[in-house]
Amino acid sequence: METKNIQYTEKFEDIYTNVDYNKKRYQEMSEKFQNLHGVKPDYFVRAPGRVNLIGEHIDYMNYPVFPFALEQDSLLCFTYSDDELIHIDHMNSEEFHSAVISNDPAKRSETIASLTPKQSYIKYFIAGYCSGIDGKVSSYKGLKVLIGGNVPLASGCSSSTSLCVSSSILGVFANKSTINQAELLENIITYERSLGTACGGMDQTISLLAVHGKALFIEFNEFAKIESVQLPHGVSFVIANSLTPSAKLETLGKRYNKRVSECRMACKILMDKMSIKAEKPFTNLRQLVRNNETLEEMQEKVKTLIEQKVYTKEEIEQIIGTKLEDFLQGIPQSELVITQNNDYYPYERALHVYSEANRVYQFQKTCFDTQLTDEEKIPILGKLMNESQYSCDNLYDCSSDKLNELINICRKNGAIGSRLTGAGWGGCTVSMVRTENLQDFLQAVKTQYYEKNGLTCDENILFATAPANGAMVYKNIEF
Ligand code: NG1
């Protein structure tokens, strides 16, 4: 039952490199499903988490990013149900409670509003599930679904998006939706944004479209510009979870959506100072590049046109000539930003965005440079990763003491580049390490960060990783 717009396989080896470990996961899930429903699941759907190598907090300003997919994924298995309902259970039933919900996308908001706190993970399922079938299918299937996964939660590895994407694939596959891939991707981004985060499209794009063995350079200016990139041989990428989670939806007002708002303020200040006239104020910093200015030139404009200081709400309103309540329209839950803050940093945020975008292009250029050997590329890439971390910490203020401690330990023990990955304020770091030093590196980080802080560490907390596949449906033959 192949569907053109999604990847489908009947061979387990097509999905994973670490086959034995993952077979065990599927087996456990199938057993739980059988305990719940008395039958084996017909299909599994997986969508990966991701690590971003460079390009942080710039996707929502339409600048490119450089992620690759992890083998760690959100995993769903299902059979059809005779009623018109979706029966949802979770592998971790103590933390994540079951629910029976409507299968009709028109009831999306109503169903989300009825969830209890321990069922709130289901809103990602609903957003994803509806994104590929809303308006595309005339009747909807009933389903029995079990949800699991091993992407670290609230840790910058895209656990929520991987659930959205796997649920979206489930909706499309189970209901035979003919939605094309580009529209599906756009819808997943829009539906996930409707849950509250003013996110860009990095996580959804990589989770849906990742290519085994390659990182992706993803441009948001033109939808089609996605290049798969071979990373240099001789290095491994290590994820280390600081074990200080940063729950995004609970901190939107002070963190993620505040940064999006500050970028928008910077955009308006620059627009006025550059005498750019437009019907509506621009919403992203890339729109200000009108005459092929380089990213270095844009940084100079920030330095000369925006005063470096902390701005209050009143000062911002005076400069932009509008009430913040009106100005931030379109940013989900912007009222939280306004009520929770009276300190805004447009200078620093804009400087981060233009300099980080510049680093992503340099990273891409270096990877593709046929004049350079891998040995020559490695230190250049490492330096760019370290500079990105500096900018995230000092200009974007999205690092944390624990992330900085972990990154310093990684660098001290041989990481050529080390930085936070994802939204930050906690969560995971990514380090580029010579493969020949990998085992010593892992041991040193284990002792100096985890043991020293009294933390236990397993294969989903500190691990070397390589680019994995994107979302896929697996027909259950084995489990
Ligand atoms: P995570 O790391 O999943 O919280 C977020 C955004 C991305 C991107 C990064 C920062 C979502 C779903 N994703 O990711 O779009 O802006 O932060 O680079 O919110």
Side-chain angles (χ1 to χ4, degrees):
M1 194 165 86
E2 236 164 302
T3 307
K4 264 199 222 117
N5 43 12
I6 51 191
Q7 289 199 69
Y8 170 93
T9 186
E10 299 186 0
K11 273 202 270 149
F12 198 75
E13 289 69 15
D14 284 349
I15 317 175
Y16 300 106
T17 312
N18 196 345
V19 173
D20 291 341
Y21 166 80
N22 284 296
K23 276 194 169 173
K24 205 164 145 243
R25 292 173 62 215
Y26 278 57
Q27 191 58 49
E28 278 169 18
M29 214 157 159
S30 179
E31 278 161 20
K32 172 131 185 172
F33 193 90
Q34 288 173 67
N35 288 338
L36 287 164
H37 302 296
V39 288
K40 287 186 176 192
D42 292 328
Y43 296 96
F44 286 85
V45 186
R46 59 91 55 172
R50 60 101 188 94
V51 54
N52 189 24
L53 296 180
I54 196 156
E56 226 59 88
H57 286 283
I58 61 171
D59 56 350
Y60 49 77
M61 288 290 118
N62 270 11
Y63 277 115
V65 293
F66 217 102
F68 68 74
L70 303 175
E71 285 219 341
Q72 277 80 354
D73 52 22
S74 278
L75 192 56
L76 317 177
C77 61
F78 77 97
T79 56
Y80 293 95
S81 169
D82 292 336
D83 53 21
E84 292 184 349
L85 297 168
I86 306 182
H87 304 252
I88 300 177
D89 293 280
H90 198 284
M91 285 295 281
N92 180 354
S93 47
E94 234 167 75
E95 286 302 318
F96 302 106
H97 288 179
S98 304
V100 180
I101 61 168
S102 163
N103 64 354
D104 182 353
K107 304 212 171 113
R108 180 158 64 104
S109 312
E110 205 182 300
T111 317
I112 289 178
S114 71
L115 298 171
T116 66
K118 290 222 167 184
Q119 293 171 326
S120 74
Y121 70 100
I122 293 175
K123 61 179 177 262
Y124 293 104
F125 174 90
I126 297 171
Y129 178 79
C130 296
S131 66
I133 57 173
D134 203 354
K136 297 282 172 192
V137 178
S138 51
S139 66
Y140 309 100
K141 298 281 183 203
L143 297 168
K144 291 171 180 160
V145 184
L146 176 60
I147 299 180
N150 60 356
V151 183
L153 300 181
S155 297
C157 290
S158 214
S159 55
S160 46
T161 296
S162 62
L163 177 53
C164 266
V165 174
S166 53
S167 310
S168 153
I169 300 288
L170 167 68
V172 169
F173 184 80
N175 293 290
K176 297 202 180 68
S177 167
T178 52
I179 189 167
N180 70 51
Q181 208 176 47
E183 195 184 350
L184 177 64
L185 177 58
E186 219 179 293
N187 282 2
I188 303 173
I189 298 168
T190 310
Y191 280 53
E192 185 166 355
R193 274 177 69 97
S194 73
L195 299 179
T197 312
C199 64
M202 161 165 70
D203 302 354
Q204 300 80 0
T205 309
I206 187 72
S207 188
L208 191 68
L209 304 178
V211 178
H212 178 78
K214 307 279 169 132
L216 292 193
F217 167 78
I218 306 170
E219 267 286 10
F220 293 99
N221 218 19
E222 313 136 58
F223 167 72
K225 184 101 191 275
I226 296 177
E227 284 173 339
S228 54
V229 186
Q230 179 64 55
L231 295 165
H233 298 285
V235 284
S236 298
F237 290 90
V238 175
I239 311 289
N241 190 336
S242 66
L243 295 180
T244 50
S246 172
K248 211 168 24 183
L249 284 185
E250 285 77 60
T251 56
L252 287 177
K254 286 204 164 283
R255 294 180 173 173
Y256 199 97
N257 288 9
K258 181 185 184 218
R259 295 298 179 276
V260 179
S261 307
E262 290 173 311
C263 286
R264 220 185 245 204
M265 293 167 192
C267 195
K268 172 75 169 118
I269 297 172
L270 287 172
M271 206 175 153
D272 290 346
K273 291 269 170 83
M274 290 164 74
S275 306
I276 297 174
K277 301 263 171 282
E279 249 177 57
K280 282 194 208 152
F282 292 162
T283 51
N284 75 67
L285 287 160
R286 193 170 188 162
Q287 290 169 291
L288 297 168
V289 182
R290 318 267 289 169
N291 299 307
N292 283 326
E293 290 96 339
T294 65
L295 286 159
E296 281 90 358
E297 285 167 342
M298 292 312 292
Q299 290 172 65
E300 279 315 306
K301 285 197 192 296
V302 173
K303 288 182 192 162
T304 51
L305 299 178
I306 307 182
E307 193 188 339
Q308 182 180 14
K309 62 175 211 137
V310 188
Y311 293 77
T312 62
K313 176 177 189 267
E314 290 66 33
E315 285 169 317
I316 290 285
E317 287 180 334
Q318 207 170 24
I319 295 171
I320 63 176
T322 335
K323 284 256 148 231
L324 266 192
E325 285 74 4
D326 299 327
F327 180 70
L328 297 179
Q329 288 281 328
I331 295 180
Q333 305 194 14
S334 54
E335 66 284 359
L336 296 180
V337 175
I338 299 166
T339 52
Q340 292 178 7
N341 303 284
N342 200 22
D343 58 327
Y344 298 103
Y345 299 80
Y347 174 97
E348 287 81 356
R349 309 315 183 218
L351 210 51
H352 166 79
V353 169
Y354 289 126
S355 64
E356 183 74 352
N358 205 20
R359 284 184 284 275
V360 178
Y361 287 115
Q362 289 176 36
F363 203 92
Q364 176 220 24
K365 209 169 112 220
T366 305
C367 288
F368 279 113
D369 194 335
T370 50
Q371 304 293 310
L372 295 175
T373 64
D374 280 356
E375 268 314 299
E376 289 167 329
K377 290 177 185 176
I378 291 166
I380 302 175
L381 301 180
K383 185 164 175 279
L384 289 168
M385 288 174 73
N386 290 335
E387 286 170 0
S388 166
Q389 172 60 26
Y390 182 87
S391 185
C392 284
D393 192 17
N394 293 285
L395 294 177
Y396 223 67
D397 194 17
C398 63
S399 193
S400 69
D401 290 347
K402 277 292 165 201
L403 283 170
N404 292 348
E405 178 189 333
L406 181 53
I407 286 163
N408 285 336
I409 292 170
C410 292
R411 288 187 189 150
K412 205 173 73 193
N413 287 287
I416 305 152
S418 186
R419 55 182 299 281
L420 65 87
T421 186
W425 293 288
C428 289
T429 61
V430 56
S431 299
M432 185 169 69
V433 179
R434 286 197 185 280
T435 306
E436 66 207 31
N437 298 341
L438 180 61
Q439 291 316 320
D440 291 346
F441 175 82
L442 293 172
Q443 188 50 52
V445 175
K446 194 170 167 210
T447 318
Q448 293 170 32
Y449 184 78
Y450 296 97
E451 286 173 12
K452 180 171 166 264
N453 284 302
L455 300 164
T456 32
C457 125
D458 65 24
E459 73 276 9
N460 282 320
I461 291 174
L462 175 68
F463 57 93
T465 182
N469 270 308
M472 252 189 214
V473 175
Y474 167 72
K475 182 171 165 53
N476 186 20
I477 298 164
E478 280 186 62
F479 307 101

